[in-house]
Amino acid sequence: MNKYLLGLVFLLFIFSSCSKDEDFANELPGYWKQIAAYDNGELCSTDKEENLSILFEANGVYRMFDPCSEKEHAGTWLVTDEDWLTMSMDKIAGKNTSDNSYRYTPVTVRFTIIRLDGDEMELRIKTFLGERKKTIMFSQMEQDPQLTTPEEALELDAKNKELHIYAYQFRRIH
């Protein structure tokens, strides 16, 4: 009976320690620098965008340092379902008229972790161009121009509904 219980405890220990979620969640904390961004396989990052960096803290908080806007953005992160990285970002939703402070709204973005080994990480997301523009994700991009005709509005709407696969490569720097 003791051997049976000991064997059962041993098996439970082995199976509970084999979670890939835990592996990625334990490997992610650190300071990461973006080294490349791809749009449907085509390199689409600029030198300035490649200086974007993210500090993933072990407590589920991240801080992204954006060289394009020269600002820091904070949010939360969580690894689930073996290879999903869910990141929340706060986006300005407007200004309060009473005290002139900003109102924020949360935006959640879910990436697939393609590779996370040692000091290299690659994330992928499949989304519409318009959604990427709305969340800005990891690299700045040109926002929609001011439109003058209904035809231009329809053309822009069709373009923003194009499905793209974006890949972001990072290297750990600390």
Side-chain angles (χ1 to χ4, degrees):
M1 182 69 164
N2 286 342
K3 288 181 184 179
Y4 176 75
L5 287 176
L6 185 61
L8 185 60
V9 169
F10 180 73
L11 285 174
L12 287 172
F13 175 76
I14 288 176
F15 288 117
S16 67
S17 65
C18 292
S19 170
K20 195 173 183 180
D21 290 358
E22 282 298 315
D23 291 344
F24 282 151
N26 290 332
E27 289 181 50
L28 191 60
Y31 196 49
W32 297 86
K33 180 181 175 197
Q34 181 175 304
I35 56 173
Y38 297 90
D39 177 356
N40 290 331
E42 298 285 325
L43 186 65
C44 65
S45 54
T46 66
D47 290 340
K48 199 169 190 182
E49 291 164 348
E50 289 177 7
N51 285 318
L52 176 133
S53 58
I54 302 175
L55 174 63
F56 287 100
E57 297 179 22
N59 63 1
V61 173
Y62 75 87
R63 284 183 267 154
M64 182 170 61
F65 306 97
D66 183 353
C68 294
S69 65
E70 297 179 353
K71 293 183 180 175
E72 177 182 319
H73 306 280
T76 60
W77 66 270
L78 177 67
V79 175
T80 59
D81 299 332
E82 294 185 7
D83 60 353
W84 288 95
L85 172 62
T86 303
M87 296 177 70
S88 71
M89 304 176 199
D90 284 339
K91 221 172 146 55
I92 295 175
K95 271 193 167 182
N96 295 320
T97 54
S98 60
D99 62 357
N100 216 22
S101 64
Y102 288 102
R103 287 189 324 270
Y104 294 90
T105 185
V107 176
T108 302
V109 182
R110 197 169 194 198
F111 298 91
T112 302
I113 301 171
I114 301 299
R115 183 170 46 95
L116 177 54
D117 50 8
D119 293 338
E120 301 288 325
M121 175 172 60
E122 183 173 356
L123 305 175
R124 181 187 69 205
I125 188 167
K126 187 176 186 179
T127 191
F128 296 102
L129 178 63
E131 287 300 308
R132 178 170 180 241
K133 286 180 180 180
K134 191 166 69 176
T135 60
I136 311 272
M137 294 180 202
F138 296 132
S139 54
Q140 296 290 328
M141 62 187 313
E142 191 175 315
Q143 296 301 308
D144 295 336
Q146 296 295 322
L147 306 174
T148 56
T149 67
E151 291 80 17
E152 288 176 332
L154 286 172
E155 185 179 321
L156 180 62
D157 183 57
K159 182 178 179 185
N160 283 337
K161 290 179 180 172
E162 292 174 1
L163 195 58
H164 290 252
I165 298 173
Y166 301 100
Y168 302 95
Q169 294 178 343
F170 292 86
R171 182 168 291 126
R172 187 186 310 266
I173 53 179
H174 286 300

